[in-house]
Amino acid sequence: MSGTGASTRPAALRPAHCGKDEPVIDAPLSSPIAAAQEACRREFGPPEITTRGPGRVNLIGEHTDYNDGFVFPAAIDREVAVAMRRRDDLKVQLTSETFTQTDRFSLDAFERLSPGPGVPTWSNYVRGVVRILLDAGYPVKGFEAAISGNVPEGAGLSSSAAFEVAVLTALNALYELNIPPKELALLAQRAENQFVGVACGIMDPFISAMGQRDHALLIDCRSLETRAVPLRLAERGVAIAILDSGVRRGLVDSKFNARREECETAVRHLRRLLGRDSIRALRDVNPIEFNAVARELPDDIRARARHVISENERVVRGVDALEEGNLAVFGKLMNQSHQSLKDDFNVSIPQLDLLASLAQKTPGVLGARMTGAGFGGCTVNLVEVKALAAFRDTVLASYRERAGMDAKLWVCDAVDGASVIS
Ligand code: GLA
């Protein structure tokens, strides 16, 4: 069994048993693993295998993955757990503790579920993964599975990739498919792109499958090479704090796919303007080249490209700064990333802007930015441990006053990627 997200935080920062003076809020986390196993036992019988797939927080590098660029996420101690048993026929039976719903289908004929009242659309993540495995020729048979998770949905922390990766990890182990983690991440992405219908990049399944405890992963989304960079949070006296704006979005109906198309349009323009056929993605254009022709681009397209090209630079500079122990520079780059996502990529919302600007003004906060796709969800904050309590008090109170709603804060650990528990 590899890491299950056991906390490495100083005792005073652990969310469980939050005492009055402890600077972290949010209810103690229930264990999705125990819940999934219990539900499997209750509904179907003892599980043969239990797996977990973690959510993620992206520290910097947003909307760069599908532009063949760089990202820098960490897997976090929020996860989806799947407890599974084999069947001898082609039937699949599912129960979700998270959605308190069930679903069943047969491997010889099943479709994507369309949204509607009471429809268990979460099952599309299982259906999608199964479809992709079958199409790729993997010998999958029927199964029964119970699912439970504590990655908030639509919060930009990648609950869907966590789910897909957990299911794939379970089927991989149960049917001895021998799929290595990188390939598993690619299969999860294909399920999301081709079955669920979101043109997402590789970042989320990749970090969920390949995360490393106490590290963030620099991923080159073209070559899929990675570098695990130690975070040394405790030693450096800083914490990764997530602020949940409380605004939810669905990627299927958000402007995510539209942004991706705008980036492709930018590539076509830049290929023509720079006279270079080898430009395959925004990754292939450097800031100097971009600035030389930027004024020739339509306004929206210029802004989208400017974000991606500058964000790639920020990731590379940010990782260098972190490796040199220069957290101040890393934090400034996070702040700039937020500004660029807001002004140029146009994926932020007023609540995320408010959280980021409140945080950026708070002493002891090194950097703050929205994380994930945007249109709702969370910000990620790099905060000095000694400043956490004041950070919590001032930001949460001001947010309530000015946004008229409550945000939630939790400090997260960087954990290992997906694993088989038993
Ligand atoms: C979503 C997608 C990712 C990535 C981010 C934005 O999480 O699933 O592939 O594009 O948005 O960085």
Side-chain angles (χ1 to χ4, degrees), residues 308-340:
V308 174
I309 293 168
S310 62
E311 185 79 349
N312 275 328
E313 292 276 306
R314 281 187 286 273
V315 179
V316 174
R317 282 170 54 205
V319 170
D320 283 350
L322 193 66
E323 286 186 322
E324 286 159 12
N326 196 338
L327 270 71
V329 166
F330 189 86
K332 283 208 180 89
L333 292 163
M334 289 173 77
N335 296 347
Q336 287 168 15
S337 167
H338 184 85
Q339 201 64 34
S340 175

Side-chain angles (χ1 to χ4, degrees), residues 56 152-158 242-250 347-349 351-353 355 369-380 399 405-408 410:
R56 61 103 186 92
E153 220 205 332
L157 301 176
S158 194
I242 292 177
L243 278 167
D244 185 345
S245 69
V247 181
R248 292 288 173 267
R249 56 96 189 111
V347 288
S348 190
I349 55 165
Q351 290 90 338
L352 291 174
D353 295 339
L355 283 178
R369 58 182 287 278
M370 55 153 273
T371 187
F375 313 106
C378 297
T379 60
V380 55
Y399 185 74
M405 55 197 293
D406 283 322
K408 277 190 184 160
W410 73 87

